Amino acid sequence: MALIELKDVTKKYDKSTTALRHIDLSVNSGEFVYLVGPSGAGKSSLIRLFYQEEKLTSGSMKVGEFDLTRLRKKDVPLLRRSIGVVFQDYKLLPKKTAFENVAYAMEVIGEKPRHIKKRVAEVLELVGLKHKMRSFPNQLSGGEQQRVAIARAMVNRPKLILADEPTGNLDATNAKAIFDLFLKLVRTEHTAVVMVTHDDSLAHKCDRIYTIEDGRINV
Ligand code: ADP
């Protein structure tokens, strides 16, 4: 069964701005989907619909067990917990160490300290940064900060990770390392990854590639 299912989804911000037009998209568990398109194509708007920062204007959309056309306000935090999000600018908390940034995602959902310590060490190891767990974001390179952000996105074992231009601030070598890390997550943790970007240089390694232009996905 599909983890994500969009049918005829349209997003209008106002009468003259239509960001997404009649989008049909389905993503299975453990699948790596790459969505490539230029600036203004609607990529961020699509990502924001997934975690309900914006509401769709028409159509239907399901993410896991959540039907986003019927989702009650009180269930939005539950939906968000089931999704990990990675942004272009990392969005780490500057006064917390790598360890604390990742741990925080578990603290806010009330996990036990013993469990947090074990799981955070495990995910920092997976992203290759266990040796830097006491470093603050400003002591880490851009590529390392993004790896911490990915560790944070996956620490609560979401079924879906959304990545909005995750390699946008990185050079080609670091971009490839981040991309390979997503591939590893998909293969080892069976997480689905939806990555949106304007950079198609690594796209050939994904399970599926779509292009998005002027709010339309070309299948
Ligand atoms: P991308 O991420 O591909 O650059 P966006 O989703 O940011 O594209 O933008 C798609 C279209 O929606 C653009 O025309 C943009 O100006 C418009 N848009 C994006 N966010 C908003 C918003 N909050 N309010 C009004 N229009 C917006």
Side-chain angles (χ1 to χ4, degrees):
M1 207 190 79
L3 177 68
I4 295 170
E5 188 98 63
L6 279 79
K7 284 193 185 140
D8 201 17
V9 167
T10 291
K11 170 66 188 170
K12 291 183 181 188
Y13 286 105
D14 51 54
K15 275 194 193 114
S16 60
T17 316
T18 304
L20 299 167
R21 301 164 197 270
H22 310 291
I23 301 278
D24 290 315
L25 178 70
S26 96
V27 178
N28 294 323
S29 296
E31 199 172 25
F32 191 167
V33 173
Y34 206 78
L35 215 62
V36 190
S39 176
K43 303 183 296 297
S44 300
S45 297
L46 181 63
I47 293 281
R48 289 197 293 262
L49 290 186
F50 279 111
Y51 58 91
Q52 288 286 279
E53 195 175 309
E54 289 287 346
K55 291 206 172 297
L56 57 160
T57 309
S58 63
S60 69
M61 185 161 176
K62 283 189 180 150
V63 178
E65 74 253 43
F66 299 96
D67 177 347
L68 302 195
T69 40
R70 285 176 199 181
L71 192 72
R72 285 171 299 183
K73 218 173 168 182
K74 73 173 180 55
D75 290 332
V76 171
L78 276 181
L79 165 78
R80 290 187 179 157
R81 260 180 230 175
S82 71
I83 303 174
V85 191
V86 176
F87 299 97
Q88 177 170 357
D89 59 358
Y90 328 128
K91 298 204 191 303
L92 298 178
L93 299 166
K95 292 193 174 135
K96 288 187 186 286
T97 63
F99 182 95
E100 290 163 351
N101 263 283
V102 180
Y104 188 63
M106 294 184 80
E107 287 161 11
V108 296
I109 62 164
E111 295 281 3
K112 291 194 183 79
R114 194 163 42 90
H115 182 200
I116 293 176
K117 211 173 158 194
K118 183 161 174 276
R119 176 68 180 156
V120 174
E122 193 176 288
V123 290
L124 284 174
E125 170 111 57
L126 192 95
V127 303
L129 279 181
K130 207 174 167 191
H131 61 297
K132 300 240 169 161
M133 67 183 188
R134 290 189 187 83
S135 301
F136 288 91
N138 67 4
Q139 299 170 317
L140 297 170
S141 72
E144 287 169 341
Q145 289 183 61
Q146 193 59 300
R147 284 193 273 153
V148 174
I150 292 170
R152 177 181 59 186
M154 61 174 292
V155 75
N156 291 324
R157 295 193 170 84
K159 290 199 179 79
L160 170 66
I161 289 187
L162 302 171
D164 191 351
E165 295 276 5
T167 59
N169 289 356
L170 303 174
D171 61 30
T173 310
N174 276 299
K176 183 172 180 308
I178 291 299
F179 185 87
D180 287 342
L181 184 54
F182 281 127
L183 266 182
K184 184 166 143 188
L185 284 187
V186 169
R187 306 288 178 242
T188 60
E189 306 257 314
H190 216 59
T191 315
V193 173
V194 176
M195 175 165 170
V196 303
T197 177
H198 67 274
D199 173 16
D200 65 357
S201 61
L202 295 160
H204 57 283
K205 287 187 175 182
C206 290
D207 295 324
R208 279 198 285 159
I209 305 158
Y210 296 108
T211 53
I212 178 165
E213 220 172 323
D214 195 23
R216 287 180 208 279
I217 287 186
N218 309 305
V219 181

